[in-house]
Amino acid sequence: MGLTKQYLRYVASAVFGVIGSQKANIAYVTLRGGEKGRYIAAAACEHVFIWDVRKGEKVMILEGQKHEVTFLRASPDGVSIAVGYEDGAVRIFSLLNGESNVSFNGHKSAVSIICYDELGARLVTGSKDTDVIVWDIINECGLYRLRGHKGLITQALFLKDKNLLVTSSKDSFVKWWDLDTQHCFKTIVGHRSEVWGMVLLDRESRLLTGSADSELRAWDITYLQEVKAEGEPEEKRGKIELVEDEDEGDQEGEADEGPEERILSCKKVGSILREARDRVVSLAADARTGVIACHGNDSILEVFRVLPEAEVQQKMKKKEKRARKKAARAQEEMGEDAGELTVKRTLKDEITRLTHIKASAKIRWAECLSCPGGELKVALLLQNNTIETYSLKAASTTPTSNKTARLTLGGHRTDVRTLAFSSDNLAVLSASGDTIKVWNRATLQVIRTMACEYALCSLFVPGDRQIILGTKSGKLQIFELASGSLLETVDAHDGALWSLCLAPDQRGLVTGSADKTVKFWEFELIKDGEMSHKRLTVKHKRTLQLEEDVLCVKFSPDHRLLAVSLLDCTVKLFYTDTLKFFLSLYGHKLPVLCLDICHDSTLIATGSADRNVKIWGLDFGDCHRSMFAHDDSVMFLQFLPKTHLFFTAGKDKKIKQWDADKFEHIQTLEGHHREVWCLAVSPSGDHLVSASHDKSLRLWERTREPVILEEEREMEREAEFEESMSKGDIPVVPGEAPGEAAPAGKKTIETVKAAERIMEALELFKDENRKMEEHKYVCEAAGKQLPPPNPNPILVAFGNISPSRYVLDVIRKVRSSELEVSLLVLPFSYVPELLKLFNGYIQQGLEVELVCRCLFFLLRIHFGQISSNQMLLTVMDQLRTNTVAQVRQIRDVMGFNSAALQFLQREIESREEVTFFAEATGKLKERKRRRTKRERVVLTIA
């Protein structure tokens, strides 16, 4: 059957206009050959942009899929970056090539925190689902899930020398986890509200927490096992003792004896008062320079410094000296003995307020980085789609912050409310509450940036040399693109100017406003003062007075009619020449926010806040069809040039294409993560640009690929079915009671498909074995050797491999992070055959590590059924013998290779007098010191 009508598919082409998304944070990264502190990774909707702050350019894009980025963290070695998404997935990207090779999927909702351990081998993630998951990056699998919090996880930190984890949450608790036993051994309950941030200080001997008040609470950590091993009681340092705040008291209910005190004790020692009175939004620390930075919902970043012990001792000596003088003076005056003098050491003596940084807008996130020379670099993600960087000397007595860079060119400060295409399809105009930007559509670079009032509508003047803007105050602003200057501001209306429309003869325009008037304007060229050249202006010709506010105006392409949308939910049609009333289109339950007329002036389509789109005939004003278009208000509607196809954009984050002749939904463009405010179709119809509340502008491009409506509906149904499957509960592991620790992975559509592929491979293996047995029986019955049966086409496609090897290849292609969950959903009827195959693989030495991992997991979850099956007794006995032998052999080979490499290293070091893997910076400093010393000697002799 041939196609009766062909539609062409529109696909996403690019995302631009966003510098940093407000849902995620920013992080310093180091690219290959790049200097430290030069590159910043920022989330941009579902992507991650790497910005060069020195040049203000985008140097790399880490492309996501469809879910928004919620958190990102660079690895300790700077080679990769972990990115968490709104659906709970975590992907690790390489900063060398921008590709993602490792992905984890264990959370049910958005990832709220990510943290690496010191070696970068483990990753801990927290989420809105209140779970904490520890992942093994090297093995690409989840280790365990930790349950215990009742609110969103706000911070998670590994302790370097201990296998411990500390987490904080909105449930006001800070929990300590022993990762050896996967249980919570201590809970700090000394906070009155949510704990929003947390840092470790003084070589992990102190914990600083930020809550919803103006205090930063400090907790001293004492490792009891070390104290007992050394035989030293916890003593005060001489005459200096640390004083605890008496107003708070010790609310954590700390006990001297009990199971929670076997690893460490955590005691509150005081608090630091912040200048801000609202909650802590982010709390960052730089361990090398001992700097703490925190901020609230305002524009001030407070910077504190943790003093080294030598400075604290020096400070305390001065304090003691002043106290002695004061006591001696008092003794002389009063004639009394002051007794033994003790000076108490407070938290203010150890942590001092360094400075504060005033940003240009409210701060969303702060990131600190120490650089050589004692310089501290601070990057701030602001709430107005801007990134600012500052530098200061942390060691100086009076440090001053210097603004080093500001990324503003690539986006608007507020939401874009209007878009327009130039007549040659090459330039895109976007206007927001304070600026206009003109973009090159091909390169997505900003051509012009101009300051304006709050813009609501815009258009290019014929010739594309000027643009006209309608503002919220009712003014018309005319800008010249060549110079980027404002030519004229016309007081057009007394209310908000909601709509502009260019006349079909391109000699003027019409404006509609909230002051209940529609005004007609003509273009004119007038002399600009005493200059010889002329400039463009508009001249008022006619006014149409109406009874309600005007929301949208549109000329019919034949210049015969004018359509006006009013606040009373109707659309009125007037004759353009006489302004006489022609028709009234009524039927919408809420005001019509957008409308458009097709190229042949036969149809008018209206979109309303009642979520419906209606198609009307312009001959009699009859409603051809009413369609439920969006799940929220329809914000924009526009026909494609020379067609009866039109696009709608709504507050439900979607853009949809419709056929006004067949009244069919053709395609849905999904990508925006917030309400879509406006849309613009290029004059050629090949491109679309949309703007959203997520600060992003998206370019959509028409391809040559046809859209078959039946296939589209089938794909939508499949996507809904797959999504419903992935939301199902994960099967319960037999023998594991619900507790604090649980498996890390979760059931997704990928794990279900992987389990189906394993089952299909096992079925193929069984079929091939049955065919071979039947062939053998036929040969024995015939008494001669017959040609073997034809192998399965799948095995032929994979190079005529054996069925057992095909099963191993299928298992090997399953992602490491999804392997356990895929085996968990595998029915037990397939397990006996799989165990027999595992025995053969281990005997042959094929993928011993992978097979052992699968074997041990299956034994753990199906132990009862396997141990009670007498037919598997021989197989299990063989597996026990073969597995131990193969694992010992691999261990011996690895040990031998490791010893050989160490021997070669010692030989090369002794022969060439070089040290492998030595710290280059330390050697360089030593050489510089020796050279400086020699130069001084030479100068002294001279």
Side-chain angles (χ1 to χ4, degrees):
M1 183 180 68
L3 296 176
T4 56
K5 190 162 188 176
Q6 189 179 37
Y7 307 106
L8 296 179
R9 185 181 301 277
Y10 282 82
V11 297
S13 177
V15 179
F16 61 104
V18 57
I19 297 174
S21 293
Q22 299 303 302
K23 260 200 168 184
N25 61 323
I26 57 175
Y28 275 110
V29 295
T30 305
L31 298 184
R32 182 188 298 173
E35 62 182 88
K36 197 174 182 182
R38 180 173 176 177
Y39 301 100
I40 291 177
C45 297
E46 69 270 20
H47 305 310
V48 175
F49 291 167
I50 308 296
W51 294 94
D52 185 344
V53 294
R54 178 179 295 178
K55 296 182 179 179
E57 296 177 353
K58 194 187 310 173
V59 295
M60 184 183 291
I61 300 176
L62 307 179
E63 295 187 358
Q65 294 173 347
K66 66 176 183 178
H67 295 283
E68 196 172 5
V69 175
T70 55
F71 203 86
L72 48 90
R73 178 80 70 185
S75 62
D77 56 6
V79 176
S80 60
I81 183 170
V83 182
Y85 295 90
E86 198 170 22
D87 63 338
V90 178
R91 299 172 67 192
I92 298 179
F93 290 87
S94 171
L95 293 175
L96 302 177
N97 52 21
E99 296 180 356
S100 172
N101 298 322
V102 181
S103 65
F104 302 122
N105 207 329
H107 292 290
K108 295 180 181 178
S109 55
V111 176
S112 59
I113 191 66
I114 298 175
C115 184
Y116 281 91
D117 67 352
E118 185 184 14
L119 300 176
R122 288 182 300 175
L123 192 72
V124 60
T125 59
S127 170
K128 284 185 177 179
D129 61 6
T130 72
D131 289 346
V132 178
I133 302 179
V134 181
W135 307 90
D136 186 349
I137 298 177
I138 298 175
N139 202 22
E140 299 181 17
C141 67
L143 296 177
Y144 30 78
R145 181 191 303 265
L146 304 175
R147 293 171 175 166
H149 283 291
K150 303 299 181 184
L152 178 143
I153 309 299
T154 57
Q155 185 60 280
L157 299 171
F158 281 105
L159 273 71
K160 294 180 182 178
D161 300 329
K162 312 285 183 184
N163 196 22
L164 303 177
L165 180 72
V166 55
T167 59
S168 63
S169 171
K170 283 179 67 175
D171 60 5
S172 76
F173 297 144
V174 176
K175 288 182 176 289
W176 294 85
W177 305 84
D178 185 354
L179 298 183
D180 292 327
T181 58
Q182 295 108 48
H183 81 286
C184 174
F185 65 88
K186 188 174 186 60
T187 301
I188 300 176
V189 295
H191 299 87
R192 296 191 179 120
S193 55
E194 301 94 341
V195 182
W196 290 102
M198 184 171 59
V199 292
L200 287 166
L201 305 173
D202 294 342
R203 297 181 181 178
E204 300 178 346
S205 64
R206 176 163 295 164
L207 182 70
L208 200 67
T209 58
S211 185
D213 50 21
S214 59
E215 290 186 26
L216 296 179
R217 293 171 174 81
W219 311 78
D220 261 0
I221 304 169
T222 305
Y223 300 99
L224 303 180
Q225 292 177 351
E226 288 184 359
V227 171
K228 291 179 181 179
E230 295 173 3
E232 296 180 0
E234 186 179 0
E235 296 179 349
K236 299 175 184 178
R237 307 171 193 171
K239 294 183 179 180
I240 303 172
E241 59 181 6
L242 202 56
V243 178
E244 181 182 353
D245 286 357
E246 297 178 358
D247 57 342
E248 286 280 342
D250 191 3
Q251 299 182 16
E252 60 169 323
E254 191 173 10
D256 295 332
E257 296 179 359
E260 69 273 8
E261 295 299 327
R262 291 176 184 171
I263 298 178
L264 58 83
S265 66
C266 194
K267 182 180 179 182
K268 185 180 176 187
V269 293
S271 60
I272 306 170
L273 289 179
R274 299 165 46 233
E275 293 180 354
R277 298 302 177 192
D278 54 353
R279 75 171 182 90
V280 172
V281 174
S282 72
L283 185 63
D286 185 78
R288 181 178 298 179
T289 55
V291 173
I292 307 166
C294 78
H295 68 91
N297 281 315
D298 52 10
S299 60
I300 296 177
L301 178 75
E302 300 180 52
V303 183
F304 301 89
R305 181 166 178 248
V306 182
L307 299 179
E309 184 63 27
E311 290 188 26
V312 175
Q313 295 290 348
Q314 188 177 1
K315 190 174 182 180
M316 294 309 300
K317 288 180 181 178
K318 292 181 180 178
K319 198 172 181 180
E320 286 180 355
K321 189 175 181 180
R322 288 195 300 268
R324 289 193 189 97
K325 288 183 179 179
K326 187 176 180 180
R329 194 180 304 113
Q331 185 177 359
E332 291 177 359
E333 294 175 357
M334 304 295 296
E336 297 179 358
D337 188 8
E340 186 181 358
L341 179 67
T342 59
V343 178
K344 294 185 178 181
R345 179 170 171 171
T346 63
L347 192 64
K348 293 181 180 179
D349 297 325
E350 298 184 1
I351 302 176
T352 61
R353 188 181 303 275
L354 195 61
T355 182
H356 70 270
I357 298 174
K358 174 72 174 176
S360 59
K362 291 183 178 180
I363 303 172
R364 170 63 184 84
W365 195 267
E367 186 78 5
C368 297
L369 180 69
S370 60
C371 295
E375 182 185 12
L376 179 72
K377 291 188 177 181
V378 179
L380 302 179
L381 172 63
L382 307 183
Q383 293 186 12
N384 63 351
N385 195 26
T386 305
I387 293 177
E388 292 182 350
T389 59
Y390 296 82
S391 68
L392 55 92
K393 294 286 187 180
S396 61
T397 55
T398 57
T400 57
S401 60
N402 300 316
K403 185 185 293 186
T404 56
R406 189 165 184 251
L407 300 178
T408 58
L409 188 62
H412 289 271
R413 309 285 74 77
T414 56
D415 291 356
V416 173
R417 289 290 180 169
T418 175
L419 293 166
F421 260 102
S422 61
S423 59
D424 56 1
N425 306 292
L426 295 179
V428 179
L429 163 69
S430 62
S432 65
D434 54 357
T435 55
I436 309 168
K437 288 184 181 291
V438 181
W439 308 77
N440 185 325
R441 180 190 56 77
T443 62
L444 302 179
Q445 298 297 318
V446 179
I447 303 172
R448 286 284 182 273
T449 299
M450 297 163 281
C452 68
E453 295 186 17
Y454 198 111
L456 296 177
C457 50
S458 62
L459 57 84
F460 277 88
V461 177
D464 298 334
R465 294 184 178 180
Q466 297 88 13
I467 56 175
I468 294 182
L469 222 63
T471 67
K472 194 173 183 179
S473 60
K475 297 177 181 178
L476 281 175
Q477 290 188 318
I478 306 174
F479 292 86
E480 186 178 23
L481 287 181
S483 60
S485 59
L486 175 64
L487 295 180
E488 187 180 4
T489 299
V490 180
D491 293 327
H493 292 273
D494 296 331
L497 204 160
W498 289 110
S499 182
L500 285 175
C501 182
L502 186 67
D505 58 4
Q506 298 189 349
R507 294 183 178 179
L509 62 126
V510 62
T511 59
S513 170
D515 63 358
K516 305 179 183 179
T517 60
V518 175
K519 292 187 179 181
F520 296 81
W521 309 79
E522 283 188 357
F523 296 129
E524 281 191 354
L525 292 174
I526 61 174
K527 285 189 177 181
D528 190 7
E530 298 179 356
M531 305 297 291
S532 59
H533 67 275
K534 296 182 178 181
R535 67 171 177 84
L536 181 77
T537 186
V538 290
K539 185 178 181 181
H540 179 228
K541 289 295 183 182
R542 293 184 294 175
T543 300
L544 175 63
Q545 186 68 40
L546 296 165
E547 297 178 354
E548 295 287 343
D549 292 7
V550 178
L551 300 180
C552 189
V553 293
K554 187 70 67 174
F555 277 114
S556 63
D558 59 5
H559 210 175
R560 187 174 68 94
L561 298 172
L562 175 69
V564 181
S565 166
L566 301 177
L567 197 61
D568 61 0
C569 309
T570 64
V571 175
K572 297 190 182 299
L573 299 174
F574 299 89
Y575 290 105
T576 306
D577 50 358
T578 62
L579 297 184
K580 287 185 177 180
F581 175 74
F582 173 52
L583 286 173
S584 179
L585 310 178
Y586 56 90
H588 284 288
K589 298 178 181 178
L590 291 174
V592 175
L593 303 179
C594 51
L595 60 90
D596 198 12
I597 301 174
C598 65
H599 70 286
D600 54 6
S601 303
T602 58
L603 298 175
I604 178 173
T606 58
S608 167
D610 62 6
R611 303 176 291 179
N612 292 320
V613 168
K614 293 182 184 292
I615 301 171
W616 317 75
L618 277 180
D619 44 3
F620 301 107
D622 56 326
C623 181
H624 291 181
R625 185 64 63 92
S626 177
M627 299 177 292
F628 183 77
H630 291 269
D631 296 330
D632 209 331
S633 301
V634 182
M635 299 300 296
F636 203 86
L637 185 150
Q638 187 172 352
F639 275 97
L640 280 172
K642 299 181 181 179
T643 66
H644 283 184
L645 308 178
F646 63 92
F647 280 94
T648 59
K651 281 187 176 181
D652 60 352
K653 315 172 190 177
K654 296 178 182 178
I655 301 168
K656 296 185 178 182
Q657 186 183 10
W658 307 83
D659 188 341
D661 292 330
K662 292 189 172 183
F663 316 119
E664 288 182 330
H665 171 219
I666 301 170
Q667 188 183 359
T668 300
L669 304 179
E670 295 184 355
H672 284 293
H673 303 283
R674 299 290 184 280
E675 299 91 339
V676 182
W677 295 130
C678 53
L679 185 76
V681 181
S682 65
S684 65
D686 290 335
H687 296 91
L688 254 71
V689 172
S690 56
S692 169
H693 184 47
D694 59 12
K695 296 289 194 303
S696 69
L697 300 174
R698 290 180 183 264
L699 182 65
W700 312 84
E701 186 175 356
R702 182 162 61 186
T703 63
R704 300 297 99 187
E705 178 188 355
V707 176
I708 310 301
L709 298 183
E710 290 79 5
E711 293 182 1
E712 285 291 308
R713 303 294 91 82
E714 183 65 27
M715 290 170 61
E716 290 177 2
R717 286 192 292 269
E718 287 181 0
E720 291 178 1
F721 175 70
E722 290 179 355
E723 188 175 357
S724 63
M725 281 184 62
S726 62
K727 287 183 179 179
D729 294 333
I730 190 168
V732 178
V733 179
E736 289 195 4
E740 290 182 342
K746 75 170 183 178
K747 181 182 176 183
T748 62
I749 188 61
E750 286 79 13
T751 59
V752 174
K753 288 181 178 179
E756 290 176 351
R757 288 195 297 269
I758 295 174
M759 288 188 285
E760 289 173 358
L762 289 172
E763 290 290 346
L764 187 146
F765 173 75
K766 292 178 181 178
D767 291 341
E768 290 298 310
N769 282 352
R770 185 171 59 253
K771 284 165 58 176
M772 294 304 296
E773 290 177 0
E774 291 176 355
H775 175 260
K776 182 179 179 181
Y777 176 76
V778 171
C779 290
E780 291 178 355
K784 60 180 180 180
Q785 188 68 27
L786 298 176
N790 295 328
N792 193 292
I794 297 178
L795 301 179
V796 176
F798 279 87
N800 285 323
I801 61 175
S802 62
S804 61
R805 188 60 185 264
Y806 174 70
V807 176
L808 181 61
D809 288 347
V810 170
I811 296 175
R812 188 170 52 192
K813 289 177 182 177
V814 179
R815 280 186 177 178
S816 181
S817 58
E818 300 169 354
L819 185 59
E820 278 85 357
V821 185
S822 300
L823 294 174
L824 189 58
V825 300
L826 198 69
F828 180 74
S829 58
Y830 292 94
V831 173
E833 198 68 39
L834 207 52
L835 294 178
K836 295 175 184 176
L837 286 172
F838 286 169
N839 189 22
Y841 298 150
I842 292 177
Q843 285 179 350
Q844 301 173 29
L846 298 175
E847 300 287 345
V848 177
E849 294 182 23
L850 175 64
V851 171
C852 287
R853 180 182 168 191
C854 298
L855 173 63
F856 298 152
F857 183 77
L858 289 175
L859 289 176
R860 183 163 61 90
I861 64 175
H862 297 297
F863 177 77
Q865 291 173 291
I866 293 175
S867 59
S868 61
N869 193 335
Q870 295 294 328
M871 299 179 64
L872 294 177
L873 185 60
T874 307
V875 178
M876 295 306 301
D877 188 55
Q878 293 176 357
L879 278 171
R880 177 180 58 83
T881 306
N882 297 333
T883 303
V884 173
Q886 286 290 340
V887 170
R888 282 178 178 172
Q889 183 178 351
I890 293 176
R891 184 192 60 187
D892 294 341
V893 170
M894 292 182 65
F896 182 82
N897 291 340
S898 176
L901 289 174
Q902 292 176 5
F903 174 75
L904 290 175
Q905 176 183 346
R906 291 193 297 270
E907 287 291 320
I908 295 174
E909 287 178 355
S910 62
R911 184 171 65 249
E912 300 184 5
E913 296 182 355
V914 296
T915 305
F916 279 7
F917 310 114
E919 188 180 356
T921 54
K923 299 290 182 182
L924 183 62
K925 290 179 181 178
E926 182 67 21
R927 286 198 296 269
K928 283 185 178 180
R929 188 182 64 80
R930 291 177 180 175
R931 185 170 61 250
T932 305
K933 188 176 181 180
R934 285 198 302 268
E935 290 175 355
R936 287 177 180 174
V937 171
V938 171
L939 291 174
T940 304
I941 296 173

